[in-house]
Amino acid sequence: MAVKYIRFSPDPLEGQALLDNFVRTKRVLNYRNYEQVSENIQRGMPLYEVVTKDKHGSNPNNNMVIRGECLSACAYLKDKGIQVDLVYIDPPFASGADYAKKVYVRRNPKVAEDIAKAEEVNVEEMKSFEEKMYGDIWDKERYLNWMYENLMAIKSVMSEEASIYVHLDYNIVHYVKVLMDEIFGGYDFTEITWICGLMGAGERFPKSHETILYYYKPESIFNIQPRLGYSDRITNALQKDEGGWFYTRGRESSGGTNCLKTYICEIPQFTKEEAIKWAEKNRPQPCWDTWIGKPDIAKAYGDYGTGTYAYTPIENVNYTTQKPEALLERIIKASSNEGLLVADFFGGSGVTAAVAHKLGRKFIHCDIGINSIQTTSDRLLKENAEFDILEVKDGVSLYRNPTQTMDKLKSMISGLRNEDALDKFWAGSIVDTKNGMMPVYLPNLKDSSTRILDRTLMNHIIREALPNLPHDTKRVIVYYIDITDKQEIDDFIKEENNLTTIEIELRDLKQVLDNVVIEDEAEWKVSETHDEIFSGWQVELLSFHSDRVLRKIEEFNLKGNQQVLHQQAKGKNKKFIPIVISDEGLETIEWVSLDCTNAQKEAIWQSDKEIKIDRFGYVIEDGKKTQNLWNAIIRCDNKPLRMKIRNICGDESVFVL
């Protein structure tokens, strides 16, 4: 339950009531359920308990990796008086797609010596399966309501000189621009076109770009950089602006004094002769709003104009929708200075936080997905970043993956079945001998607007949902994740439910979801060791068993076998090789960390030593790659008190040693 509610913005837009803006926006876009969002804006952002889960280094800059939704994270930041100086967000695109990650089964460390004898690892032999990360499936109305609250929350924590970049594509960008015009009234606007490669097929102008909406104030930071675009024309007719920067006017526009300025260098101390030489050598490009790049995140994006790329395959972190570092480097350099705070509230692969750190900025990474938090943590550790991992206790982040949980939610509720007689508001029904068919309402874990059961939602249930039920309905069950005040809602039901005889039963969904994750099991041996190479402590993993991973592998094997049988029935010579896990189960471990500081299981995690096993079985030790195949041992200087193990699906378990 929320601790309290935090106001979205200290003042409405000048000359207009804030909610009047939203009503006008709603009329322009013509979508439904805006009344609930209006009440949510008036009520404020729900502030939940936020706990520190892990600490990496002393973290003097207070860098944060937050597991939680954008709205909850912004409430926490505003309550703490933290303002951000630059925002980049890459939210869901309302694309209608499901996104998955490929999960690789590691090699058995007990046969590491045999693997080491081979000259190279055969990638074709790697066993993998896919796991859904999140679903980008929305109806337009719900998406816009959700985005409105998120953008309002983000604006509430932006400093006076901050700017914001919102990265979307053709599916929804034009609608979101209307929202942003209202929310960021008084800001200037530039639409940036990022040409990132062919994204769609078809005969009529296949898609090749995404759009970045850039909102800023005149006082917002903007640093002149070499501009990269299409033209390679350079003239010697250099001029100098009031800031000391050299530029020339090209012929790409209509000509005369209204031509676009092309800034040629980022060092204002140059003489004119030095600037000319620099320009001739570096082939600068015009300062345009069209950026050219490729979507292959296995390459560095040093030059958007000439197409010269240096191969850096380590940038690929196996995260769907990952963006290239050079794209974020350009944005962060342009709109922030060293020491300022950069935030990404839909952080995904962690590219914003990683680039911000490399450029000497502070960072906040926020995402609801556990895979995002783990990917970002691994990425930051490789860059020697110091940060804390925080978790918002909002009733959603308690569960590993909201998308997967929603997929299986119906099977977790005993007796719940589909019901054709009910509209889509109801998830199904439970039947018993006393009440007959009882319709069941389930909140959407992926949509923060349905998480809190409040007077607005209950009013919608009573006045709109109940009258549409079959006439013989006696009772309905309403599940909730969070509730504003249960006694208040009970009183509201008694007051308002005089229109019908249908009884409303409230149930806490967390009591169902508490059984979703079964803790993994492990056996180990701790010993003190002294030899010519190492002197200290070591933990040897003897066995590791994850019920969740084994079930995923069983599903993969069953599906693969059925597909092969289907192909064989058509006369095709197909063979399916199932994934087989050893008795020890050590192939299902991705990451191990030791805490030599805290002995209590629920204490803040202090990572004193950690290793990650890459998909080929090699060890990444404290963020640094090695050529060592894992042998099921992790070593540390001091006596380990706790161990945390992450399985290949991303679940983490803590063991007291």
Side-chain angles (χ1 to χ4, degrees):
M1 183 173 176
V3 177
K4 60 180 177 179
Y5 292 91
I6 307 294
R7 290 184 61 190
F8 275 83
S9 184
D11 297 301
L13 298 180
E14 184 177 353
Q16 300 173 349
L18 189 60
L19 294 180
D20 287 347
N21 281 359
F22 185 61
V23 170
R24 188 167 75 250
T25 299
K26 175 261 176 186
R27 289 170 180 163
V28 171
L29 297 178
N30 191 28
Y31 62 92
R32 300 166 294 182
N33 299 330
Y34 79 96
E35 294 88 354
Q36 180 174 345
V37 180
S38 299
E39 290 200 16
N40 292 348
I41 297 296
Q42 288 179 320
R43 182 185 62 208
M45 297 177 281
L47 176 65
Y48 296 91
E49 178 189 8
V50 177
V51 299
T52 302
K53 301 292 289 185
D54 291 40
K55 296 185 72 68
H56 295 278
S58 57
N59 192 22
N61 291 332
N62 196 27
N63 294 321
M64 289 180 265
V65 174
I66 304 174
R67 187 186 178 201
E69 294 183 315
C70 170
L71 201 65
S72 306
C74 289
Y76 171 75
L77 296 178
K78 189 167 187 186
D79 185 59
K80 296 296 182 183
I82 298 172
Q83 291 189 318
V84 300
D85 302 301
L86 168 63
V87 175
Y88 167 86
I89 58 172
D90 179 20
F93 285 9
S95 63
D98 282 329
Y99 294 98
K101 65 171 286 191
K102 185 163 283 190
V103 178
Y104 290 92
V105 177
R106 271 48 178 179
R107 294 184 179 274
N108 188 341
K110 296 299 183 181
V111 295
E113 286 188 12
D114 294 335
I115 299 173
K117 293 177 183 177
E119 292 184 2
E120 61 182 19
V121 177
N122 186 351
V123 178
E124 297 300 324
E125 293 179 0
M126 300 298 296
K127 285 296 183 179
S128 64
F129 55 90
E130 286 193 342
E131 176 178 61
K132 188 185 293 185
M133 290 166 55
Y134 65 91
D136 191 8
I137 302 174
W138 303 74
D139 58 59
K140 188 180 302 177
E141 292 82 4
R142 179 168 290 174
Y143 180 91
L144 293 173
N145 286 336
W146 175 77
M147 275 300 294
Y148 188 88
E149 284 192 71
N150 287 327
L151 290 169
M152 282 291 299
I154 290 171
K155 184 187 177 187
S156 296
V157 297
M158 289 171 59
S159 68
E160 286 298 317
E161 297 182 351
S163 51
I164 179 172
Y165 293 76
V166 179
H167 190 144
L168 294 164
D169 73 358
Y170 64 93
N171 284 293
I172 204 72
V173 65
H174 306 94
Y175 297 92
V176 173
K177 185 187 182 300
V178 176
L179 295 184
M180 295 193 69
D181 285 344
E182 292 287 2
I183 296 169
F184 292 93
Y187 283 63
D188 294 324
F189 166 70
T190 296
E191 179 179 297
I192 297 168
T193 300
W194 181 43
I195 300 176
C196 54
L198 195 64
M199 299 183 298
E203 298 178 356
R204 302 191 180 186
F205 310 118
K207 310 297 185 298
S208 64
H209 77 278
E210 294 173 356
T211 302
I212 302 173
L213 306 177
Y214 169 42
Y215 284 76
Y216 57 96
K217 293 181 179 180
E219 62 269 26
S220 296
I221 296 168
F222 188 73
N223 299 313
I224 300 293
Q225 305 171 64
R227 300 301 162 202
L228 307 170
Y230 293 116
S231 174
D232 61 356
R233 183 179 294 111
I234 299 174
T235 76
N236 292 335
L238 294 179
Q239 301 180 56
K240 205 173 190 179
D241 68 11
E242 62 278 4
W245 303 91
F246 284 101
Y247 67 91
T248 182
R249 293 189 184 275
R251 297 181 180 178
E252 288 78 12
S253 59
S254 58
T257 58
N258 293 325
C259 288
L260 294 170
K261 290 181 179 179
T262 301
Y263 283 90
I264 71 163
C265 63
E266 56 184 353
I267 306 177
Q269 291 78 19
F270 274 3
T271 65
K272 183 173 182 178
E273 290 74 21
E274 289 172 332
I276 291 173
K277 290 180 181 178
W278 188 96
E280 291 173 346
K281 179 181 178 181
N282 291 277
R283 294 167 53 91
Q285 306 296 333
C287 178
W288 287 351
D289 59 6
T290 299
W291 300 353
I292 304 173
K294 290 186 177 181
D296 182 0
I297 44 84
K299 295 179 181 178
Y301 291 72
D303 191 333
Y304 285 79
T306 63
T308 57
Y309 301 94
Y311 282 87
T312 54
I314 56 173
E315 186 177 330
N316 191 336
V317 294
N318 189 31
Y319 196 96
T320 309
T321 71
Q322 179 180 346
K323 299 302 183 290
E325 290 190 3
L327 177 66
L328 271 298
E329 181 180 343
R330 186 174 218 189
I331 290 171
I332 292 171
K333 279 184 175 179
S335 295
S336 71
N337 295 325
E338 288 190 18
L340 296 184
L341 179 57
V342 179
D344 188 341
F345 295 99
F346 301 89
S349 69
V351 61
T352 304
V355 175
H357 170 70
K358 290 179 181 180
L359 297 177
R361 277 69 167 171
K362 304 172 186 177
F363 60 82
I364 294 173
H365 168 100
C366 173
D367 202 287
I368 186 60
I370 189 64
N371 181 253
S372 167
I373 302 304
Q374 293 164 350
T375 301
T376 301
S377 176
D378 294 343
R379 191 172 192 167
L380 291 171
L381 286 172
K382 188 175 69 174
E383 301 299 335
N384 297 317
E386 297 185 352
F387 58 96
D388 294 347
I389 298 179
L390 286 67
E391 183 169 278
V392 180
K393 293 295 186 181
D394 60 358
V396 175
S397 60
L398 296 176
Y399 315 111
R400 181 185 177 280
N401 186 317
T403 298
Q404 290 179 335
T405 305
M406 285 301 300
D407 288 345
K408 295 186 177 296
L409 194 53
K410 289 187 177 182
S411 64
M412 297 181 219
I413 298 176
S414 179
L416 183 63
R417 66 181 191 183
N418 293 326
E419 196 67 59
D420 294 336
L422 303 176
D423 61 36
K424 65 178 182 179
F425 179 83
W426 305 97
S429 70
I430 296 174
V431 177
D432 68 13
T433 54
K434 179 181 178 182
N435 297 294
M437 181 188 72
M438 297 182 291
V440 175
Y441 166 78
L442 292 175
N444 186 352
L445 294 175
K446 299 177 288 185
D447 182 0
S448 60
S449 65
T450 70
R451 183 206 308 148
I452 301 176
L453 180 60
D454 55 11
R455 291 168 63 96
T456 303
L457 179 56
M458 186 51 64
N459 185 62
H460 173 74
I461 292 173
I462 293 173
R463 296 185 175 274
E464 297 184 38
L466 295 187
N468 293 328
L469 292 174
H471 64 87
D472 57 345
T473 304
K474 300 177 182 178
R475 186 186 188 94
V476 298
I477 299 170
V478 175
Y479 279 96
Y480 63 87
I481 301 170
D482 194 8
I483 192 167
T484 51
D485 185 305
K486 191 170 187 306
Q487 186 59 53
E488 177 189 8
I489 298 300
D490 286 336
D491 293 341
F492 181 76
I493 292 172
K494 292 177 182 178
E495 294 171 7
E496 299 295 325
N497 200 20
N498 53 12
L499 303 176
T500 176
T501 59
I502 299 175
E503 183 181 354
I504 300 175
E505 178 187 350
L506 304 181
R507 293 184 183 179
D508 189 345
L509 187 61
K510 292 190 289 297
Q511 295 178 359
V512 176
L513 295 177
D514 280 341
N515 298 319
V516 172
V517 177
I518 301 174
E519 284 198 6
D520 296 340
E521 299 177 350
E523 294 183 22
W524 61 87
K525 181 173 66 177
V526 180
S527 60
E528 193 171 6
T529 181
H530 304 279
D531 54 41
E532 296 178 356
I533 301 176
F534 176 78
S535 179
W537 292 80
Q538 73 174 28
V539 179
E540 180 181 3
L541 271 298
L542 305 176
S543 67
F544 178 77
H545 297 288
S546 170
D547 180 70
R548 170 178 166 71
V549 174
L550 292 177
R551 281 189 284 114
K552 290 291 294 184
I553 290 173
E554 287 175 3
E555 292 174 9
F556 170 82
N557 288 341
L558 179 61
K559 183 177 180 181
N561 189 55
Q562 289 174 338
Q563 290 174 342
V564 167
L565 291 175
H566 180 68
Q567 294 294 320
Q568 290 175 345
K570 293 182 177 181
K572 296 183 179 181
N573 184 20
K574 295 289 184 178
K575 184 179 180 181
F576 174 67
I577 302 176
I579 296 176
V580 179
I581 301 300
S582 69
D583 293 339
E584 295 85 9
L586 299 176
E587 309 95 303
T588 60
I589 295 176
E590 178 184 70
W591 176 88
V592 184
S593 175
L594 296 179
D595 184 347
C596 305
T597 307
N598 303 308
Q600 292 77 25
K601 186 173 183 179
E602 301 301 326
I604 295 173
W605 188 266
Q606 178 65 48
S607 184
D608 294 306
K609 190 69 175 181
E610 62 182 59
I611 61 171
K612 183 180 180 182
I613 303 96
D614 72 12
R615 59 177 176 154
F616 302 111
Y618 291 101
V619 173
I620 301 170
E621 185 174 0
D622 294 330
K624 304 299 181 184
K625 282 192 171 184
T626 75
Q627 294 301 310
N628 301 322
L629 288 163
W630 190 45
N631 59 358
I633 292 174
I634 178 172
R635 290 176 164 180
C636 56
D637 294 331
N638 301 312
K639 183 178 181 180
L641 304 176
R642 294 187 296 169
M643 175 172 58
K644 183 185 289 187
I645 300 177
R646 181 195 306 165
N647 66 40
I648 56 177
C649 286
D651 301 301
E652 293 182 353
S653 301
V654 175
F655 305 93
V656 177
L657 301 177

